[in-house]
Structure formats: C-alpha cells, structure tokens
C-alpha cells in the first residue's frame, strides 16, 4: 500500500492533537532507564512552548508489561486505566498525554473496548466506584508525548541553537527513525501517518535539518517483545531482532537513531554493547556504535540543553562523537559526575572489531 493507492486515504491517519492543557502520565520504563528524559520533556513543553501540562504524583504504572506478558487479566488493567482517567478528571483536565508507547497502546485498547462493548465500560465504572470510590470521564484527546513534539516541531525549530547538520561537512545528518510498535501498529488511526507511513519522528528529522534513512527493516520490531525479554531463556530472540535491524541500516552509515518508545530506545542502545561483547562488532566507523536518542533528548540537544542534564551519560553507546559532529559544546569531565558533583567512575571500553 502507498499514498497513491485509492484505498489509502491519508486524512484517515492525521490525528487530532490538542493545543494545550494536558494531563501527563509518566512511564515506569522511561523513568528507570532514562530518568532525565521526562523532566526534559516537561521543561520543553512548559518553558519553551508555554503550555500547561500537569505532572501528577498520584499516578501509577499502567501495568501494560504484566498485561502483555499474560500475568494480568483484562478486567484488572481496565480498572487501573480507569483510575488514571479518574485522576485526570479530578485534576480538571480533558487531554491525556502518556510518555510510554506501551501505555499509549494500552489506553487506546481500553478506549476501543469500551466504545464497542459499553457493558465493559459500565462494569469498569462499577468496580472503580466500589473499590476506591472514584469516577472518571473518558479523555477528549489521547496522545503520546512524541505527538506533542511533532505537533510543535516548527515552534521548537524557531528556538533551535543547533540543527541536524554535520558542522564539519555541512551535510545533513543521516537519521534512522524507529517508531515503537504499540504506537500505530495496533490501532493505525491513532498514530500520525498510521502504521505504514508514521511521521511522528520522520517529521522531526525533516523539520530540524536531517535526512531520513530508509532501509529494508525500517518497520521491524526493535526486539523488546515482553515475553522475549522477561524470560531469560528467550533473550536470544530479542537481541537477534535488534541485530537484524542494525545490520540492515549499517550500509547507509546512519549518524544516529531516534525512537519514541523507552523500551525500543533501551534495547537498540544496550544490545549494541551486547553484540560488541559477543561478536566483536559495532555498526559505525568509530568503534562506539550508533547513538540512540529519544525524541525529547534530541530536541533538548538541539535547543542547547546540557547533554548531561538530559541524561545522555546513561546511554550505553557514547554520544560524544555525535556531539562533536554537530558542534555541540559540552564538558566531557561532567559526564561521570552525579547531581552533587561527585565522581561516579568511568566504564571500561570493550575490545571490538571494526565492521564496515
């Protein structure tokens, strides 16, 4: 299917994204893997875009990992989602923004179920009222946090201090976009561009001066797969998926990968180290690997935020070659310092073999 196919209506995959006043639902994975990312996102939305976004300390995990791993029954996760919506209702908001792609898929699934099976919605309302005495309204607008960065990409562009350009050569950086499976593959109409042509990340690349890398495994899963990773004996399936993607993109020599899913970001980043240790391979010319950034981390870099304040020292693949290529000013000595300036120690670089 392509844009010229008469059966494909591009307008069907242009979602509504509210202009302001958002209730923000954090990600348990993102907070643990990349703990600075959500704070950077909130800072950008509030201080760079001037939007109202509420960060509620009472929220909990959506329990999506347990649900997709077959541990949690449907009725339980529907009640958890209902509680999140009840907190949004009590806070006086109608627009729900979630940080995790898995959560986005969960919230979308529950809304689809309730729309087509109103008896399940009524059942959930009764359970929530009986257990914790809360009521909820369904959000008028449900989006993923990457949707906000996409919506306001041009407003962000007007404030950029850097762009996706190689300062040395003047050439656009080659950027791989990896869109999390649960963003649009489950419910294509809920993602910008649908499952076939998702634009939520590629739109950032185009707007901020880079060039897209199109390769055969562009829409292939990162390899997370809840049951693949949670069961230790299955982790070979996970790393094999990531390796397949990396080998597919390698001939195009990408400068970086951007993602909108914290799980994808983690595995595309961490499995590069694993592959280097197992097989002596990296997928760049500098023996570091391909840097993998989230959409808010990339926006923060281009806006001039300190890369260590954005938490880039917590990535497995070193980002310094990318920072140098982009002409971003940073203090390398601050990379291994904690919040109080205490030296945390430097990891040992693995022995690897160049692979071109």
């Amino acid at each position: 299917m392509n844009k010229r196919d008469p059966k494909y209506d591009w307008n069907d995959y242009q979602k509504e994204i509210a202009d302001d006043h958002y209730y923000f639902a954090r990600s348990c994975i993102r907070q643990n893997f990349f703990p600075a990312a959500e704070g950077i996102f909130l800072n950008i939305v509030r201080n760079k875009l001037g939007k109202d976004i509420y960060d509620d300390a009472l929220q909990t995990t959506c329990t999506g990992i347990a649900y997709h791993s077959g541990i949690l029954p449907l009725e339980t996760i529907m009640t958890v989602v209902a509680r999140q919506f009840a907190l949004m209702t009590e806070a006086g908001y109608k627009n729900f923004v979630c940080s995790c792609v898995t959560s986005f898929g969960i919230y979308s699934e529950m809304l689809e179920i309730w729309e087509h099976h109103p008896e399940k919605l009524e059942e959930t309302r009764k359970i929530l009222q009986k257990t914790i005495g809360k009521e909820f309204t369904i959000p008028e607008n449900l989006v993923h946090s990457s949707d906000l960065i996409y919506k306001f990409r041009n407003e962000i562009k007007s404030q950029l201090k850097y762009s996706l350009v190689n300062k040395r050569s003047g050439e656009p950086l080659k950027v791989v976009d990896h869109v999390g499976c649960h963003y649009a593959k489950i419910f294509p109409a809920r993602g910008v561009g649908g499952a076939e042509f998702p634009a939520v990340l590629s739109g950032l690349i185009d707007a901020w001066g880079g060039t897209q890398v199109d390769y055969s495994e562009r829409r292939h899963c990162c390899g997370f797969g809840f049951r693949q990773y949670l069961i230790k004996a299955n982790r070979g399936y996970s790393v094999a998926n990531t390796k397949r993607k990396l080998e597919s993109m390698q001939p195009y020599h990408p400068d970086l990968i951007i993602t909108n899913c914290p799980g994808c970001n983690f595995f595309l980043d961490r499995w590069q180290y694993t592959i280097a240790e197992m097989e002596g391979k990296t997928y760049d010319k500098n023996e570091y690997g391909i840097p993998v950034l989230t959409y808010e981390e990339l926006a923060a870099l281009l806006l001039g935020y300190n890369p260590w304040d954005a938490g880039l020292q917590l990535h497995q693949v070193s980002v310094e070659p990318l920072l140098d290529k982009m002409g971003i000013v940073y203090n390398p000595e601050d990379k291994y310092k904690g919040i109080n300036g205490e030296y945390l120690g430097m990891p040992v670089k693995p022995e690897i073999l160049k692979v071109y």
Side-chain angles (χ1 to χ4, degrees), residues 226-240:
F226 302 105
R227 300 187 193 195
Q228 292 177 10
Y229 181 73
L230 292 178
I231 300 173
K232 190 174 183 180
N234 289 347
R235 291 180 184 173
Y237 294 108
S238 180
V239 69

Side-chain angles (χ1 to χ4, degrees), residues 68-252:
H68 286 300
S69 300
I71 299 171
L72 211 64
L74 175 63
E75 290 74 17
T76 301
I77 197 166
M78 282 196 294
T79 307
V80 172
V81 168
R83 180 186 178 273
Q84 300 283 70
F85 290 163
L87 293 175
M88 176 200 72
T89 303
E90 291 171 356
Y93 288 82
K94 298 179 180 179
N95 303 317
F96 196 92
V97 179
C98 52
S99 176
C100 180
V101 161
T102 299
S103 298
F104 181 68
I106 289 294
Y107 294 124
S108 297
E109 181 178 353
M110 299 308 114
L111 292 181
E112 291 285 333
I113 291 174
W114 291 341
E115 179 181 352
H116 296 287
H117 300 278
E119 72 279 5
K120 301 302 291 185
L121 173 59
E122 184 60 27
E123 177 185 319
T124 304
R125 292 190 185 280
K126 289 179 179 178
I127 293 173
L128 191 69
Q129 177 64 40
K130 181 178 179 180
T131 53
I132 60 174
K134 290 185 180 293
E135 298 179 352
F136 69 97
T137 57
I138 291 177
E140 291 184 0
N141 189 236
L142 170 68
V143 298
H144 185 257
S145 48
S146 61
D147 289 324
L148 294 192
I149 300 299
Y150 171 82
K151 178 181 177 68
F152 298 113
R153 63 195 182 280
N154 291 321
E155 288 84 345
I156 292 173
K157 178 182 178 181
S158 68
Q159 303 178 55
L160 296 184
K161 294 184 178 180
Y162 304 98
S163 61
L164 291 172
V165 173
N166 187 321
K167 279 286 187 178
R168 300 164 183 164
S169 67
E171 295 293 322
L173 295 182
K174 291 178 283 187
V175 187
V176 166
D177 70 316
H178 177 80
V179 179
C181 294
H182 289 222
Y183 173 75
K185 287 183 180 178
I186 303 176
F187 302 103
R190 292 187 178 271
V192 177
E196 296 292 331
F197 306 102
V200 68
L201 297 179
S202 60
L204 307 184
I205 299 170
D206 293 342
W208 298 344
T211 184
Q212 300 179 39
V213 175
D214 193 12
Y215 62 107
S216 61
E217 301 296 348
R218 186 172 185 176
R219 301 301 171 219
H220 191 67
C221 175
C222 73
F224 186 173
F226 302 105
R227 300 187 193 195
Q228 292 177 10
Y229 181 73
L230 292 178
I231 300 173
K232 190 174 183 180
N234 289 347
R235 291 180 184 173
Y237 294 108
S238 180
V239 69
N241 275 273
T242 300
K243 181 181 177 183
R244 181 172 179 175
K245 283 188 67 73
L246 292 169
E247 291 187 344
S248 178
M249 69 179 74
Q250 180 190 358
Y252 301 93

